[in-house]
Amino acid sequence: MSEREPLTEEQRAAALRNIRGPDRGAIVEAAKLLSADSSTTARLLELLASAARVEVRHGILYALTWHGDASLWNFMIRILSDQKEHPKVRGQAAECISYLFDGVETESGWLSYWGLSLGSGLAVETQSPSPGSW
């Protein structure tokens, strides 16, 4: 993501409201704005816990993906491995994991092995032409 000015309180509040709304276009725009505001990680996780609509869940995970918060690793693994979760949502969790994985430095090969095992053991169907198509 490109460098942006920090969101104002009003912009942040509006984006957090819009990401839960009925308008897919507003959800996409809100997700893009919130993706650059890592101060919203906890609030987005709260919203995700009660969000049922695929578009909302996907938008929230998109925003979280760009926060680069390694503490989300296990959470994203759970979403990715949940066969009941929509493929778009699982695909976004996989994208987040890939970005987090790319940033991990390790001296042992276990993490690479684990990543390869994960990739071969969990098939994710996506209905969009490419992950991260926002």
Side-chain angles (χ1 to χ4, degrees):
M1 298 246 65
S2 60
E3 288 292 319
R4 295 185 187 166
E5 292 293 318
L7 296 178
T8 65
E9 286 297 320
E10 294 81 22
Q11 289 172 317
R12 185 176 298 113
L16 287 166
R17 184 176 52 252
N18 290 342
I19 203 164
R20 299 173 298 192
D23 180 5
R24 185 181 187 288
I27 293 169
V28 170
E29 288 308 310
K32 287 179 181 180
L33 283 173
L34 294 167
S35 71
D37 186 354
S38 61
S39 74
T40 61
T41 299
R43 182 67 179 124
L44 288 170
L45 289 170
E46 289 173 12
L47 294 176
L48 187 65
S50 63
R53 291 183 25 241
V54 171
E55 297 83 7
V56 173
R57 294 180 65 74
H58 185 240
I60 290 170
L61 289 182
Y62 175 87
L64 289 170
T65 295
W66 292 100
H67 290 185
D69 185 342
S71 72
L72 296 174
W73 178 273
N74 288 333
F75 179 73
M76 293 296 171
I77 295 292
R78 283 194 307 272
I79 290 173
L80 176 60
S81 63
D82 183 354
Q83 297 293 320
K84 295 176 189 167
E85 190 66 77
H86 191 278
K88 283 177 119 173
V89 176
R90 292 177 66 216
Q92 189 60 54
E95 185 173 356
C96 181
I97 292 165
S98 74
Y99 289 134
L100 293 174
F101 186 79
D102 190 45
V104 173
E105 295 292 330
T106 180
E107 291 183 23
S108 67
W110 78 267
L111 189 56
S112 296
Y113 173 77
W114 187 85
L116 290 173
S117 297
L118 173 68
S120 62
L122 295 173
V124 178
E125 297 177 28
T126 60
Q127 294 180 350
S128 60
S130 65
S133 58
W134 285 11

